[in-house]
Each structure stands twice: as C-alpha cells, then as structure tokens.
Amino acid sequence: MLIPCPFCGPRDEAEFHCADESHIARPEPFRDVPEEDWAHYLFYRENPKGIVAERWHHRFGCGLWFNIARDTRTHEITRVYEMTDPRPDPEAS
C-alpha cells in the first residue's frame, strides 16, 4: 500500500507505523476515572466496514505524525490531514 505522506509524498507502507484509531478522547480527570472507563479507552476500538480515521507515523522518513481517512474494505485512502484537524465527515470523502 502506498501512503501519501503530506510532507514526503507517496511512500511504501513499510516506512510507516499505524498507531490505531484517531480522535479518541482521554478520560479526565485522571484520578477520578473508573477502571471500566480506562479499560474502554485503552482496549476498545471501533471496527467498522468503511471509512475510519487512523493516526500514522512516518517512522523511516520525516518522523512526523498525521491522520488518514481509509476505507477498511478496499484500503483506499480518501483523505490525509494534520493531527490537529477535526475528523472528516465520511460521507463527504
């Protein structure tokens, strides 16, 4: 799979590390979060058929992080965007 790094251009998937689903809010405040909520935050992820937002790290390239909107059925990358950008609307991709 070719991944379009927004800083280096298209590169082979082997140069990257997928760090799972994007836009997951950490529960706060730390000391008051029940164990069940921590378990959900750490271990439970959506696994839909269709467009998902993922965090990627170009570990053997520029070293920067970015988000990708990718279709889990075809692996088609529909959007690449910065870590600070909001999750894109899957219907708009």
Side-chain angles (χ1 to χ4, degrees), residues 44-75:
Y44 291 87
R45 298 290 180 258
E46 297 293 323
N47 191 19
K49 289 182 182 177
I51 305 294
V52 295
E54 300 170 325
R55 297 176 297 158
W56 285 78
H57 177 226
H58 195 176
R59 63 182 176 171
F60 297 126
C62 61
L64 297 176
W65 288 84
F66 55 93
N67 289 321
I68 287 179
R70 182 180 64 85
D71 191 320
T72 59
R73 297 166 293 197
T74 64
H75 295 292

Short mmCIF file of all heavy atoms in Angstrom, two decimals, residues 44-75:
data_model
loop_
_atom_site.label_atom_id
_atom_site.label_comp_id
_atom_site.label_asym_id
_atom_site.label_seq_id
_atom_site.Cartn_x
_atom_site.Cartn_y
_atom_site.Cartn_z
N TYR A 44 -10.79 -0.83 23.74
CA TYR A 44 -11.94 -0.97 22.85
C TYR A 44 -11.86 0.04 21.72
O TYR A 44 -11.69 1.24 21.95
CB TYR A 44 -13.24 -0.80 23.62
CG TYR A 44 -13.52 -1.93 24.56
CD1 TYR A 44 -13.00 -1.91 25.86
CD2 TYR A 44 -14.26 -3.03 24.17
CE1 TYR A 44 -13.22 -2.96 26.73
CE2 TYR A 44 -14.49 -4.08 25.03
CZ TYR A 44 -13.97 -4.04 26.31
OH TYR A 44 -14.18 -5.08 27.17
N ARG A 45 -11.97 -0.44 20.51
CA ARG A 45 -11.93 0.40 19.33
C ARG A 45 -13.08 0.04 18.41
O ARG A 45 -13.54 -1.11 18.37
CB ARG A 45 -10.61 0.23 18.57
CG ARG A 45 -9.39 0.64 19.36
CD ARG A 45 -9.37 2.15 19.54
NE ARG A 45 -8.22 2.57 20.30
CZ ARG A 45 -8.25 2.92 21.58
NH1 ARG A 45 -9.37 2.86 22.27
NH2 ARG A 45 -7.15 3.32 22.19
N GLU A 46 -13.48 1.03 17.65
CA GLU A 46 -14.46 0.78 16.60
C GLU A 46 -13.79 -0.09 15.53
O GLU A 46 -12.57 -0.01 15.34
CB GLU A 46 -14.92 2.10 15.97
CG GLU A 46 -15.62 3.03 16.92
CD GLU A 46 -16.96 2.49 17.40
OE1 GLU A 46 -17.66 1.86 16.58
OE2 GLU A 46 -17.28 2.69 18.57
N ASN A 47 -14.56 -0.90 14.85
CA ASN A 47 -14.01 -1.72 13.78
C ASN A 47 -15.03 -1.79 12.64
O ASN A 47 -15.51 -2.85 12.28
CB ASN A 47 -13.68 -3.12 14.30
CG ASN A 47 -12.87 -3.92 13.31
OD1 ASN A 47 -12.27 -3.36 12.40
ND2 ASN A 47 -12.88 -5.23 13.46
N PRO A 48 -15.36 -0.62 12.09
CA PRO A 48 -16.43 -0.59 11.09
C PRO A 48 -15.95 -1.01 9.71
O PRO A 48 -14.75 -0.98 9.41
CB PRO A 48 -16.83 0.88 11.07
CG PRO A 48 -15.55 1.59 11.35
CD PRO A 48 -14.83 0.71 12.36
N LYS A 49 -16.89 -1.39 8.89
CA LYS A 49 -16.62 -1.56 7.47
C LYS A 49 -16.86 -0.18 6.87
O LYS A 49 -17.94 0.39 7.01
CB LYS A 49 -17.58 -2.56 6.84
CG LYS A 49 -17.32 -3.98 7.24
CD LYS A 49 -18.27 -4.91 6.52
CE LYS A 49 -18.05 -6.34 6.96
NZ LYS A 49 -19.01 -7.24 6.33
N GLY A 50 -15.85 0.35 6.24
CA GLY A 50 -15.99 1.68 5.65
C GLY A 50 -14.85 2.59 6.07
O GLY A 50 -13.77 2.14 6.42
N ILE A 51 -15.12 3.88 6.06
CA ILE A 51 -14.10 4.88 6.32
C ILE A 51 -13.79 4.97 7.81
O ILE A 51 -14.69 5.08 8.64
CB ILE A 51 -14.56 6.27 5.82
CG1 ILE A 51 -14.94 6.23 4.35
CG2 ILE A 51 -13.47 7.31 6.08
CD1 ILE A 51 -13.80 5.94 3.41
N VAL A 52 -12.50 4.87 8.15
CA VAL A 52 -12.02 5.05 9.52
C VAL A 52 -10.93 6.11 9.53
O VAL A 52 -10.24 6.32 8.53
CB VAL A 52 -11.47 3.74 10.13
CG1 VAL A 52 -12.55 2.70 10.27
CG2 VAL A 52 -10.31 3.21 9.34
N ALA A 53 -10.79 6.78 10.67
CA ALA A 53 -9.73 7.77 10.84
C ALA A 53 -8.62 7.12 11.67
O ALA A 53 -8.88 6.59 12.75
CB ALA A 53 -10.27 9.01 11.54
N GLU A 54 -7.39 7.14 11.15
CA GLU A 54 -6.27 6.49 11.81
C GLU A 54 -5.10 7.46 11.95
O GLU A 54 -4.92 8.35 11.11
CB GLU A 54 -5.78 5.29 10.99
CG GLU A 54 -6.82 4.24 10.77
CD GLU A 54 -6.38 3.20 9.77
OE1 GLU A 54 -5.68 3.52 8.78
OE2 GLU A 54 -6.76 2.03 9.97
N ARG A 55 -4.30 7.26 13.02
CA ARG A 55 -3.07 8.02 13.22
C ARG A 55 -1.92 7.22 12.60
O ARG A 55 -1.80 6.02 12.83
CB ARG A 55 -2.78 8.20 14.70
CG ARG A 55 -3.82 9.01 15.43
CD ARG A 55 -3.53 9.06 16.90
NE ARG A 55 -3.61 7.71 17.45
CZ ARG A 55 -3.03 7.31 18.56
NH1 ARG A 55 -2.32 8.13 19.27
NH2 ARG A 55 -3.15 6.07 18.99
N TRP A 56 -1.05 7.91 11.85
CA TRP A 56 0.10 7.25 11.24
C TRP A 56 1.36 8.04 11.55
O TRP A 56 1.34 9.27 11.66
CB TRP A 56 -0.08 7.16 9.72
CG TRP A 56 -1.05 6.10 9.33
CD1 TRP A 56 -2.41 6.16 9.38
CD2 TRP A 56 -0.74 4.80 8.84
NE1 TRP A 56 -2.97 4.99 8.94
CE2 TRP A 56 -1.96 4.14 8.60
CE3 TRP A 56 0.45 4.14 8.57
CZ2 TRP A 56 -2.01 2.83 8.12
CZ3 TRP A 56 0.39 2.84 8.07
CH2 TRP A 56 -0.83 2.21 7.86
N HIS A 57 2.46 7.31 11.70
CA HIS A 57 3.76 7.90 11.98
C HIS A 57 4.72 7.49 10.87
O HIS A 57 4.88 6.29 10.59
CB HIS A 57 4.26 7.38 13.34
CG HIS A 57 5.61 7.85 13.70
ND1 HIS A 57 6.57 7.00 14.19
CD2 HIS A 57 6.19 9.07 13.65
CE1 HIS A 57 7.67 7.69 14.44
NE2 HIS A 57 7.46 8.94 14.12
N HIS A 58 5.35 8.47 10.23
CA HIS A 58 6.33 8.17 9.18
C HIS A 58 7.68 7.93 9.85
O HIS A 58 8.57 8.77 9.83
CB HIS A 58 6.40 9.32 8.18
CG HIS A 58 7.08 8.94 6.90
ND1 HIS A 58 7.18 9.80 5.85
CD2 HIS A 58 7.68 7.79 6.51
CE1 HIS A 58 7.84 9.20 4.87
NE2 HIS A 58 8.14 7.97 5.25
N ARG A 59 7.81 6.75 10.42
CA ARG A 59 8.97 6.44 11.28
C ARG A 59 10.28 6.34 10.51
O ARG A 59 11.34 6.61 11.07
CB ARG A 59 8.71 5.17 12.08
CG ARG A 59 8.53 3.93 11.24
CD ARG A 59 8.23 2.73 12.09
NE ARG A 59 7.97 1.60 11.21
CZ ARG A 59 7.84 0.38 11.62
NH1 ARG A 59 7.95 0.10 12.90
NH2 ARG A 59 7.60 -0.58 10.78
N PHE A 60 10.27 5.89 9.27
CA PHE A 60 11.52 5.78 8.49
C PHE A 60 11.59 6.86 7.42
O PHE A 60 12.20 6.66 6.38
CB PHE A 60 11.64 4.39 7.86
CG PHE A 60 11.73 3.29 8.87
CD1 PHE A 60 10.86 2.22 8.83
CD2 PHE A 60 12.68 3.34 9.88
CE1 PHE A 60 10.94 1.20 9.77
CE2 PHE A 60 12.76 2.33 10.83
CZ PHE A 60 11.89 1.26 10.77
N GLY A 61 11.00 7.98 7.71
CA GLY A 61 11.02 9.12 6.78
C GLY A 61 11.18 10.40 7.58
O GLY A 61 12.13 10.55 8.34
N CYS A 62 10.21 11.29 7.46
CA CYS A 62 10.29 12.60 8.12
C CYS A 62 10.07 12.52 9.63
O CYS A 62 10.38 13.46 10.35
CB CYS A 62 9.28 13.56 7.49
SG CYS A 62 7.57 13.02 7.65
N GLY A 63 9.50 11.41 10.12
CA GLY A 63 9.28 11.24 11.56
C GLY A 63 8.04 11.94 12.08
O GLY A 63 7.81 11.95 13.29
N LEU A 64 7.24 12.50 11.21
CA LEU A 64 6.07 13.25 11.64
C LEU A 64 4.82 12.37 11.70
O LEU A 64 4.74 11.30 11.09
CB LEU A 64 5.85 14.45 10.72
CG LEU A 64 6.99 15.47 10.76
CD1 LEU A 64 6.74 16.57 9.73
CD2 LEU A 64 7.16 16.06 12.14
N TRP A 65 3.84 12.85 12.46
CA TRP A 65 2.56 12.17 12.63
C TRP A 65 1.50 12.89 11.81
O TRP A 65 1.53 14.12 11.66
CB TRP A 65 2.14 12.20 14.09
CG TRP A 65 2.94 11.32 14.97
CD1 TRP A 65 4.15 11.61 15.55
CD2 TRP A 65 2.61 10.00 15.40
NE1 TRP A 65 4.59 10.55 16.29
CE2 TRP A 65 3.65 9.54 16.22
CE3 TRP A 65 1.52 9.16 15.16
CZ2 TRP A 65 3.64 8.29 16.81
CZ3 TRP A 65 1.51 7.92 15.75
CH2 TRP A 65 2.56 7.49 16.55
N PHE A 66 0.52 12.12 11.32
CA PHE A 66 -0.62 12.69 10.60
C PHE A 66 -1.76 11.69 10.65
O PHE A 66 -1.61 10.56 11.10
CB PHE A 66 -0.24 13.04 9.15
CG PHE A 66 0.33 11.89 8.37
CD1 PHE A 66 -0.49 11.10 7.59
CD2 PHE A 66 1.68 11.60 8.41
CE1 PHE A 66 0.03 10.03 6.87
CE2 PHE A 66 2.22 10.55 7.69
CZ PHE A 66 1.39 9.76 6.92
N ASN A 67 -2.92 12.14 10.23
CA ASN A 67 -4.12 11.29 10.19
C ASN A 67 -4.45 10.90 8.77
O ASN A 67 -4.16 11.64 7.82
CB ASN A 67 -5.32 12.03 10.79
CG ASN A 67 -5.22 12.20 12.27
OD1 ASN A 67 -4.78 11.31 12.98
ND2 ASN A 67 -5.63 13.34 12.77
N ILE A 68 -5.06 9.73 8.65
CA ILE A 68 -5.53 9.22 7.36
C ILE A 68 -6.97 8.77 7.52
O ILE A 68 -7.31 8.11 8.50
CB ILE A 68 -4.66 8.03 6.90
CG1 ILE A 68 -3.30 8.48 6.43
CG2 ILE A 68 -5.36 7.23 5.80
CD1 ILE A 68 -2.39 7.36 5.99
N ALA A 69 -7.81 9.11 6.55
CA ALA A 69 -9.14 8.52 6.45
C ALA A 69 -9.01 7.40 5.41
O ALA A 69 -8.65 7.65 4.26
CB ALA A 69 -10.17 9.56 6.03
N ARG A 70 -9.28 6.16 5.86
CA ARG A 70 -9.05 4.98 5.00
C ARG A 70 -10.27 4.08 5.01
O ARG A 70 -10.90 3.86 6.03
CB ARG A 70 -7.83 4.21 5.53
CG ARG A 70 -7.45 3.00 4.71
CD ARG A 70 -6.24 2.31 5.31
NE ARG A 70 -6.50 1.77 6.63
CZ ARG A 70 -7.05 0.58 6.89
NH1 ARG A 70 -7.41 -0.21 5.89
NH2 ARG A 70 -7.22 0.19 8.13
N ASP A 71 -10.59 3.55 3.86
CA ASP A 71 -11.70 2.61 3.74
C ASP A 71 -11.19 1.22 4.10
O ASP A 71 -10.28 0.70 3.45
CB ASP A 71 -12.25 2.62 2.32
CG ASP A 71 -13.57 1.87 2.19
OD1 ASP A 71 -13.72 0.79 2.81
OD2 ASP A 71 -14.45 2.36 1.48
N THR A 72 -11.76 0.61 5.13
CA THR A 72 -11.29 -0.70 5.60
C THR A 72 -11.60 -1.83 4.62
O THR A 72 -10.99 -2.89 4.69
CB THR A 72 -11.89 -1.05 6.97
OG1 THR A 72 -13.31 -1.07 6.87
CG2 THR A 72 -11.46 -0.05 8.03
N ARG A 73 -12.54 -1.61 3.72
CA ARG A 73 -12.89 -2.66 2.76
C ARG A 73 -11.91 -2.72 1.60
O ARG A 73 -11.62 -3.80 1.08
CB ARG A 73 -14.31 -2.44 2.23
CG ARG A 73 -15.37 -2.52 3.31
CD ARG A 73 -16.68 -1.97 2.82
NE ARG A 73 -16.49 -0.53 2.61
CZ ARG A 73 -17.48 0.32 2.49
NH1 ARG A 73 -18.72 -0.08 2.52
NH2 ARG A 73 -17.24 1.61 2.32
N THR A 74 -11.39 -1.57 1.18
CA THR A 74 -10.54 -1.51 -0.01
C THR A 74 -9.13 -1.00 0.27
O THR A 74 -8.28 -1.04 -0.61
CB THR A 74 -11.17 -0.57 -1.06
OG1 THR A 74 -11.21 0.76 -0.50
CG2 THR A 74 -12.57 -1.01 -1.43
N HIS A 75 -8.90 -0.47 1.46
CA HIS A 75 -7.65 0.19 1.85
C HIS A 75 -7.42 1.50 1.10
O HIS A 75 -6.33 2.08 1.17
CB HIS A 75 -6.43 -0.72 1.72
CG HIS A 75 -6.46 -1.89 2.64
ND1 HIS A 75 -6.36 -1.75 3.99
CD2 HIS A 75 -6.62 -3.21 2.39
CE1 HIS A 75 -6.44 -2.96 4.55
NE2 HIS A 75 -6.61 -3.85 3.60
#
